Amino acid sequence: MSLDASRVILGTYGSVFIGGVWQTNFNHLEANVEMQKKELQLAGDPWVRHKKGAMKGTGTLSGFKVTSDMIARGFDKFSLVSKLNDPDAYGFERITLNNVMLDKLQLANWTAGEEVKEEVAFTFEGYTLNDPIRAI
Protein backbone atom coordinates (compact mmCIF):
# COMPACT_ATOMS: atom_id res chain seq x y z
CA MET A 1 0.00 0.00 0.00
CA SER A 2 1.43 3.38 -0.94
CA LEU A 3 1.47 6.57 1.08
CA ASP A 4 -1.69 8.68 0.92
CA ALA A 5 -0.11 12.04 0.02
CA SER A 6 -3.01 13.96 1.54
CA ARG A 7 -1.91 12.68 4.98
CA VAL A 8 1.51 14.36 4.76
CA ILE A 9 1.54 17.20 7.28
CA LEU A 10 2.36 20.70 6.08
CA GLY A 11 4.18 23.12 8.36
CA THR A 12 1.67 25.74 7.22
CA TYR A 13 -0.58 24.47 9.98
CA GLY A 14 2.01 24.75 12.76
CA SER A 15 1.40 27.00 15.78
CA VAL A 16 3.49 28.10 18.75
CA PHE A 17 1.93 28.90 22.13
CA ILE A 18 3.72 30.54 25.06
CA GLY A 19 1.75 30.90 28.26
CA GLY A 20 -1.34 29.71 26.37
CA VAL A 21 -1.06 32.62 23.90
CA TRP A 22 -0.72 31.88 20.17
CA GLN A 23 2.46 33.49 18.88
CA THR A 24 1.19 34.44 15.41
CA ASN A 25 4.46 36.10 14.38
CA PHE A 26 6.57 32.93 14.49
CA ASN A 27 6.65 30.74 11.38
CA HIS A 28 9.46 28.31 12.23
CA LEU A 29 10.09 26.06 15.22
CA GLU A 30 12.68 23.35 15.58
CA ALA A 31 13.23 21.36 18.77
CA ASN A 32 15.56 18.39 19.19
CA VAL A 33 16.60 16.06 21.99
CA GLU A 34 20.09 14.64 21.94
CA MET A 35 21.06 11.76 24.18
CA GLN A 36 24.62 11.29 25.31
CA LYS A 37 25.58 7.64 25.14
CA LYS A 38 28.27 5.99 27.23
CA GLU A 39 30.34 3.47 25.33
CA LEU A 40 30.96 0.21 27.14
CA GLN A 41 33.61 -2.25 26.10
CA LEU A 42 33.04 -5.60 27.69
CA ALA A 43 35.51 -8.44 28.00
CA GLY A 44 34.88 -11.21 25.48
CA ASP A 45 32.45 -9.07 23.43
CA PRO A 46 33.70 -7.65 20.09
CA TRP A 47 30.85 -5.09 20.00
CA VAL A 48 30.96 -1.70 21.64
CA ARG A 49 27.78 -1.48 23.72
CA HIS A 50 25.93 1.72 24.62
CA LYS A 51 24.27 2.89 27.81
CA LYS A 52 21.86 5.80 27.88
CA GLY A 53 23.27 8.97 29.41
CA ALA A 54 22.06 12.51 29.98
CA MET A 55 19.74 14.19 27.47
CA LYS A 56 19.88 17.75 26.14
CA GLY A 57 17.03 19.65 24.50
CA THR A 58 17.82 22.47 22.06
CA GLY A 59 15.77 24.48 19.62
CA THR A 60 15.23 27.54 17.47
CA LEU A 61 12.18 29.75 17.12
CA SER A 62 12.00 32.32 14.34
CA GLY A 63 9.62 34.61 12.51
CA PHE A 64 8.76 38.28 12.33
CA LYS A 65 9.30 40.83 15.08
CA VAL A 66 5.96 42.22 16.18
CA THR A 67 6.39 42.82 19.92
CA SER A 68 9.14 43.07 22.53
CA ASP A 69 7.83 39.96 24.34
CA MET A 70 11.04 37.95 23.98
CA ILE A 71 13.18 40.81 25.29
CA ALA A 72 10.80 41.33 28.22
CA ARG A 73 10.82 37.56 28.95
CA GLY A 74 14.58 37.70 29.36
CA PHE A 75 16.19 34.52 30.59
CA ASP A 76 13.29 33.35 32.79
CA LYS A 77 12.17 29.79 32.10
CA PHE A 78 8.80 29.16 30.43
CA SER A 79 6.82 26.41 28.70
CA LEU A 80 6.26 26.35 24.95
CA VAL A 81 3.65 24.30 23.07
CA SER A 82 4.12 23.23 19.46
CA LYS A 83 0.94 22.29 17.62
CA LEU A 84 0.62 20.74 14.15
CA ASN A 85 -2.97 20.60 12.94
CA ASP A 86 -3.19 19.90 9.19
CA PRO A 87 -6.87 19.30 8.37
CA ASP A 88 -5.98 16.36 6.07
CA ALA A 89 -3.82 14.60 8.68
CA TYR A 90 -4.90 11.66 10.85
CA GLY A 91 -5.18 14.09 13.78
CA PHE A 92 -3.14 16.80 15.39
CA GLU A 93 0.03 16.76 17.46
CA ARG A 94 0.80 18.89 20.51
CA ILE A 95 4.15 18.79 22.27
CA THR A 96 4.99 20.82 25.37
CA LEU A 97 8.62 21.84 25.86
CA ASN A 98 9.36 22.32 29.56
CA ASN A 99 11.72 24.81 31.20
CA VAL A 100 12.55 26.63 27.98
CA MET A 101 15.36 29.17 28.45
CA LEU A 102 16.67 31.49 25.75
CA ASP A 103 20.38 31.27 24.89
CA LYS A 104 20.64 34.95 23.97
CA LEU A 105 18.42 37.98 23.52
CA GLN A 106 18.22 39.75 20.17
CA LEU A 107 17.93 43.40 21.18
CA ALA A 108 18.22 44.92 17.71
CA ASN A 109 18.68 43.58 14.18
CA TRP A 110 17.09 45.67 11.44
CA THR A 111 17.73 47.12 7.98
CA ALA A 112 15.82 50.03 6.47
CA GLY A 113 13.14 48.91 4.01
CA GLU A 114 13.10 45.28 5.17
CA GLU A 115 10.80 43.43 7.56
CA VAL A 116 12.46 42.74 10.90
CA LYS A 117 12.95 39.06 11.61
CA GLU A 118 13.48 37.56 15.03
CA GLU A 119 15.33 34.33 15.78
CA VAL A 120 15.94 32.88 19.21
CA ALA A 121 17.91 29.80 20.12
CA PHE A 122 16.94 28.01 23.31
CA THR A 123 17.41 24.97 25.49
CA PHE A 124 14.69 23.02 27.26
CA GLU A 125 14.52 20.42 30.00
CA GLY A 126 11.99 17.75 29.15
CA TYR A 127 8.96 17.46 26.93
CA THR A 128 5.48 15.96 26.94
CA LEU A 129 3.81 14.48 23.90
CA ASN A 130 0.30 15.69 24.77
CA ASP A 131 -1.54 14.65 21.62
CA PRO A 132 0.17 12.15 19.26
CA ILE A 133 -0.88 11.57 15.67
CA ARG A 134 -1.81 7.94 15.08
CA ALA A 135 -2.60 6.35 11.75
CA ILE A 136 -6.12 5.02 11.60
mmCIF file of all heavy atoms in Angstrom, residues 64-65 109-117:
data_model
loop_
_atom_site.group_PDB
_atom_site.id
_atom_site.type_symbol
_atom_site.label_atom_id
_atom_site.label_comp_id
_atom_site.label_asym_id
_atom_site.label_seq_id
_atom_site.Cartn_x
_atom_site.Cartn_y
_atom_site.Cartn_z
ATOM 1 N N PHE A 64 8.721 36.834 12.484
ATOM 2 C CA PHE A 64 8.757 38.281 12.326
ATOM 3 C C PHE A 64 8.651 38.973 13.675
ATOM 4 O O PHE A 64 7.920 38.523 14.554
ATOM 5 C CB PHE A 64 7.609 38.746 11.422
ATOM 6 C CG PHE A 64 7.663 38.120 10.064
ATOM 7 C CD1 PHE A 64 6.811 37.078 9.723
ATOM 8 C CD2 PHE A 64 8.585 38.550 9.125
ATOM 9 C CE1 PHE A 64 6.869 36.489 8.471
ATOM 10 C CE2 PHE A 64 8.652 37.959 7.872
ATOM 11 C CZ PHE A 64 7.795 36.932 7.546
ATOM 12 N N LYS A 65 9.373 40.068 13.836
ATOM 13 C CA LYS A 65 9.304 40.827 15.085
ATOM 14 C C LYS A 65 8.042 41.674 15.060
ATOM 15 O O LYS A 65 7.819 42.460 14.161
ATOM 16 C CB LYS A 65 10.526 41.709 15.256
ATOM 17 C CG LYS A 65 10.486 42.468 16.575
ATOM 18 C CD LYS A 65 11.852 42.955 16.952
ATOM 19 C CE LYS A 65 11.823 43.699 18.267
ATOM 20 N NZ LYS A 65 11.886 42.806 19.397
ATOM 21 N N ASN A 109 18.162 44.186 15.400
ATOM 22 C CA ASN A 109 18.677 43.577 14.176
ATOM 23 C C ASN A 109 17.738 43.999 13.049
ATOM 24 O O ASN A 109 16.788 43.294 12.744
ATOM 25 C CB ASN A 109 18.735 42.050 14.309
ATOM 26 C CG ASN A 109 19.335 41.407 13.071
ATOM 27 O OD1 ASN A 109 19.912 42.070 12.224
ATOM 28 N ND2 ASN A 109 19.183 40.101 12.963
ATOM 29 N N TRP A 110 17.991 45.158 12.461
ATOM 30 C CA TRP A 110 17.090 45.667 11.439
ATOM 31 C C TRP A 110 17.858 46.364 10.327
ATOM 32 O O TRP A 110 18.995 46.783 10.496
ATOM 33 C CB TRP A 110 16.055 46.612 12.039
ATOM 34 C CG TRP A 110 16.620 47.788 12.785
ATOM 35 C CD1 TRP A 110 16.917 47.849 14.114
ATOM 36 C CD2 TRP A 110 16.963 49.055 12.243
ATOM 37 N NE1 TRP A 110 17.425 49.074 14.427
ATOM 38 C CE2 TRP A 110 17.465 49.844 13.293
ATOM 39 C CE3 TRP A 110 16.896 49.615 10.963
ATOM 40 C CZ2 TRP A 110 17.885 51.152 13.111
ATOM 41 C CZ3 TRP A 110 17.326 50.923 10.779
ATOM 42 C CH2 TRP A 110 17.803 51.679 11.851
ATOM 43 N N THR A 111 17.204 46.433 9.157
ATOM 44 C CA THR A 111 17.726 47.117 7.980
ATOM 45 C C THR A 111 16.588 47.928 7.380
ATOM 46 O O THR A 111 15.477 47.406 7.222
ATOM 47 C CB THR A 111 18.240 46.100 6.936
ATOM 48 O OG1 THR A 111 19.240 45.281 7.557
ATOM 49 C CG2 THR A 111 18.813 46.794 5.721
ATOM 50 N N ALA A 112 16.853 49.168 7.038
ATOM 51 C CA ALA A 112 15.823 50.034 6.467
ATOM 52 C C ALA A 112 15.194 49.379 5.238
ATOM 53 O O ALA A 112 15.888 48.826 4.390
ATOM 54 C CB ALA A 112 16.424 51.397 6.083
ATOM 55 N N GLY A 113 13.866 49.440 5.150
ATOM 56 C CA GLY A 113 13.140 48.909 4.006
ATOM 57 C C GLY A 113 12.855 47.424 4.045
ATOM 58 O O GLY A 113 12.228 46.894 3.138
ATOM 59 N N GLU A 114 13.315 46.719 5.078
ATOM 60 C CA GLU A 114 13.097 45.277 5.174
ATOM 61 C C GLU A 114 12.309 44.952 6.438
ATOM 62 O O GLU A 114 12.426 45.648 7.447
ATOM 63 C CB GLU A 114 14.437 44.531 5.225
ATOM 64 C CG GLU A 114 15.253 44.663 3.957
ATOM 65 C CD GLU A 114 16.574 43.903 4.030
ATOM 66 O OE1 GLU A 114 16.772 43.112 4.981
ATOM 67 O OE2 GLU A 114 17.396 44.108 3.133
ATOM 68 N N GLU A 115 11.504 43.867 6.352
ATOM 69 C CA GLU A 115 10.804 43.427 7.558
ATOM 70 C C GLU A 115 11.838 42.942 8.567
ATOM 71 O O GLU A 115 12.874 42.404 8.191
ATOM 72 C CB GLU A 115 9.773 42.334 7.257
ATOM 73 C CG GLU A 115 10.326 41.022 6.807
ATOM 74 C CD GLU A 115 10.563 40.921 5.298
ATOM 75 O OE1 GLU A 115 10.299 41.869 4.551
ATOM 76 O OE2 GLU A 115 11.039 39.848 4.885
ATOM 77 N N VAL A 116 11.533 43.140 9.833
ATOM 78 C CA VAL A 116 12.457 42.738 10.897
ATOM 79 C C VAL A 116 12.127 41.308 11.301
ATOM 80 O O VAL A 116 10.987 40.994 11.639
ATOM 81 C CB VAL A 116 12.368 43.684 12.112
ATOM 82 C CG1 VAL A 116 13.281 43.204 13.241
ATOM 83 C CG2 VAL A 116 12.735 45.100 11.692
ATOM 84 N N LYS A 117 13.118 40.464 11.230
ATOM 85 C CA LYS A 117 12.950 39.059 11.612
ATOM 86 C C LYS A 117 13.562 38.848 12.986
ATOM 87 O O LYS A 117 14.494 39.541 13.384
ATOM 88 C CB LYS A 117 13.597 38.151 10.573
ATOM 89 C CG LYS A 117 12.899 38.261 9.227
ATOM 90 C CD LYS A 117 13.444 37.308 8.229
ATOM 91 C CE LYS A 117 12.668 37.471 6.920
ATOM 92 N NZ LYS A 117 13.251 36.716 5.854
#
